Amino acid sequence: MLNPLRALEDALSRHVSPINARAIIERSRRSLTDPSRLASEDRGRFLTSVRATVRLFTSDEKAMAIVDDFERRLQPGVTQVAHEVLTYRMHDENDLRAARAGVRDACLAFAARATDAQRVATAVSELGRNIIAYTPGGQIEIEVRRGPPLRVRLLATDHGGGIPHLEAVLAGSYRSKTGLGRGLLGVKRLMDQFQIQSGPEGTRIEAEVTLLC
């Protein structure tokens, strides 16, 4: 694998001035644990830093082209992954933290804006918290499809006894001392599409959002 900063320099040389390229490289360098290699844990943070800095000097469209060019140079001959599917079991807070971090990193790796990645992570957090708080357990499946436009689909399933007063919950008229319902409404507002099926054998929630990249 090539040095990530050298690959970035080569990609930038086609799109921005040498002075701007140096500024972008120096700022992006700070997000790397080891500047000579791109560790998997650094990938999302590094690409976010590159995109955010490039956008200071050029358009969003050109910034996306630079990031795509950079990824091709970093791994020559490797076709960009069109989509990624992640599945997380939901039983405790550790599972929730893993899912939240995983979807955020996946969105960033697929060129989502940092604010949009956090938006999806918040939706996952709300879905996961409901599973942990009100059911014996379940899982969240996350599918990210490369854009533009970038699409993220969430599928949350659990083995609980269903959501009581579901219509009132979705209408925002149900008030629960435990906070049941507020999380679902939050997910519905954060995502473009929201579907829910709930009964004695469990609940299935599917949500999808289209993001700029």
Side-chain angles (χ1 to χ4, degrees):
M1 181 177 288
L2 296 175
N3 181 299
L5 297 178
R6 177 62 60 83
L8 177 58
E9 182 180 7
D10 291 342
L12 289 170
S13 66
R14 300 178 54 199
H15 301 279
V16 301
S17 70
I19 293 177
N20 290 343
R22 283 197 295 273
I24 294 168
I25 290 169
E26 286 306 311
R27 183 166 178 173
S28 301
R29 183 197 301 271
R30 303 170 193 165
S31 62
L32 291 173
T33 304
D34 179 357
S36 67
R37 57 186 291 270
L38 184 58
S40 58
E41 62 269 22
D42 291 341
R43 183 181 178 84
R45 186 169 59 250
F46 182 64
L47 292 177
T48 299
S49 177
V50 171
R51 282 193 301 276
T53 309
V54 168
R55 284 189 172 115
L56 297 175
F57 301 98
T58 187
S59 65
D60 286 349
E61 182 178 354
K62 186 172 284 188
M64 185 173 64
I66 291 172
V67 173
D68 286 346
D69 190 4
F70 163 68
E71 290 188 283
R72 284 193 295 270
R73 291 172 183 275
L74 197 62
Q75 294 180 297
V78 177
T79 303
Q80 285 186 321
V81 177
H83 77 285
E84 183 173 0
V85 178
L86 308 170
T87 302
Y88 295 92
R89 294 190 303 170
M90 283 292 123
H91 293 287
D92 55 37
E93 287 293 328
N94 290 330
D95 296 332
L96 180 57
R97 282 193 291 270
R100 189 167 52 222
V103 71
R104 184 174 57 244
D105 289 347
C107 288
L108 293 174
F110 276 70
R113 296 177 178 180
T115 52
D116 285 335
Q118 185 57 45
R119 170 186 172 188
V120 178
T122 299
V124 168
S125 183
E126 295 292 355
L127 292 171
R129 188 164 284 112
N130 276 350
I131 293 174
I132 293 168
Y134 303 111
T135 80
Q139 72 174 33
I140 297 179
E141 180 182 287
I142 301 159
E143 181 179 13
V144 185
R145 289 191 173 273
R146 184 178 294 278
L150 178 67
R151 291 185 174 87
V152 183
R153 172 182 164 273
L154 308 178
L155 176 60
T157 55
D158 66 56
H159 312 299
I163 301 174
H165 317 291
L166 181 58
E167 291 187 7
V169 167
L170 296 178
S173 58
Y174 181 72
R175 296 291 180 268
S176 167
K177 293 181 180 179
T178 61
L180 175 65
R182 287 199 297 267
L184 292 180
L185 288 176
V187 174
K188 191 176 180 181
R189 284 192 293 266
L190 289 167
M191 308 296 281
D192 296 331
Q193 300 178 35
F194 180 90
Q195 295 180 336
I196 181 170
Q197 297 173 330
S198 187
E201 297 182 354
T203 298
R204 182 183 191 276
I205 300 173
E206 186 172 356
E208 185 171 323
V209 66
T210 299
L211 306 175
L212 296 175
C213 57

